[in-house]
Amino acid sequence: MKDETMRMLRGSVSDRVLAAMGRVPRELFVPRGIRGSAYEDRPLPIGEGQTISAPHMVAIMCDVLDIGEGMRVLDVGTGSGYHAAVMAELVGPEGHVYSIERITQLAVFAKENLTAAGVKNVTVLEGDGSRGLPEYAPYDRINVAATAPKIPEPLKEQLKVGGKLVIPVGSCYQELVLVERMKEGYELEHHGGVVFVPLLGDYGFEM
Ligand code: SAM
């Protein structure tokens, strides 16, 4: 991450998240032709009309999720695999990140990037992540990097009690929402306006 981005985030995002991001080489997660721009604090194109999220957004989402060592995390919208790699650092070798992407070419791109970066505790799968990934549920944390019309019920149901889900919700105006599963029901916290590509699928926007 660039020094100016670090300075902007220091104080509002935990040092643990910033340190994890410092250990993941973002240039390995963007197409070769734009590696010179890898550390700019903005989304960058990764092909198939999709983007790798801006570093500050990855930092904020990881911070809001409060990802601990050893956790089992579901990541919806793998894209380049960068966000999954940062979460893999946060869960450490005892934890695991399951990351699901609907576009085959991006799932392949992400697997190559994760291998090049030496990340071992991320499994990339192809499919409609708006349905979650029941095979490996329940999850301690769920990260969704695409905006949904409303919070998908399967994702809420695949959280452990005490588990947390972060997701952008809305179309014209999108808001980052944190959902925590309680013993009974769910609590919601709103974390301000954001801009994401749509979550397309059964519990997302229509394709
Ligand atoms: N986290 C990514 C990264 O680190 O590069 C960036 C994610 S990009 C903003 C959003 C991704 O969500 C796109 O790759 C898009 O194809 C994917 N996506 C959209 N709908 C999806 C769905 N239903 N299931 C899985 N992936 C989906």
Side-chain angles (χ1 to χ4, degrees), residues 46 50-53 75-84 100-103 106 127-130 145-146 196-201:
I46 53 172
Q50 304 301 322
T51 53
I52 175 174
S53 307
D75 177 42
V76 178
T78 315
S80 68
Y82 174 74
H83 203 147
I100 182 163
E101 170 58 55
R102 58 175 285 274
I103 300 176
L106 289 179
D128 176 7
S130 75
F196 275 86
V197 296
L199 181 77
L200 300 176

Side-chain angles (χ1 to χ4, degrees), residues 64 150-151 153 156 159 163-167 169 175-182 184-191:
V64 160
K150 59 181 195 161
I151 302 164
E153 281 303 316
K156 288 162 68 180
L159 277 177
K164 295 178 183 179
L165 153 70
V166 72
I167 182 168
V169 181
E175 199 168 35
L176 193 64
V177 180
L178 179 73
V179 180
E180 181 169 359
R181 183 169 196 170
M182 314 307 284
E184 280 175 34
Y186 300 86
E187 276 187 7
L188 268 57
E189 230 176 70
H190 296 264
H191 285 267

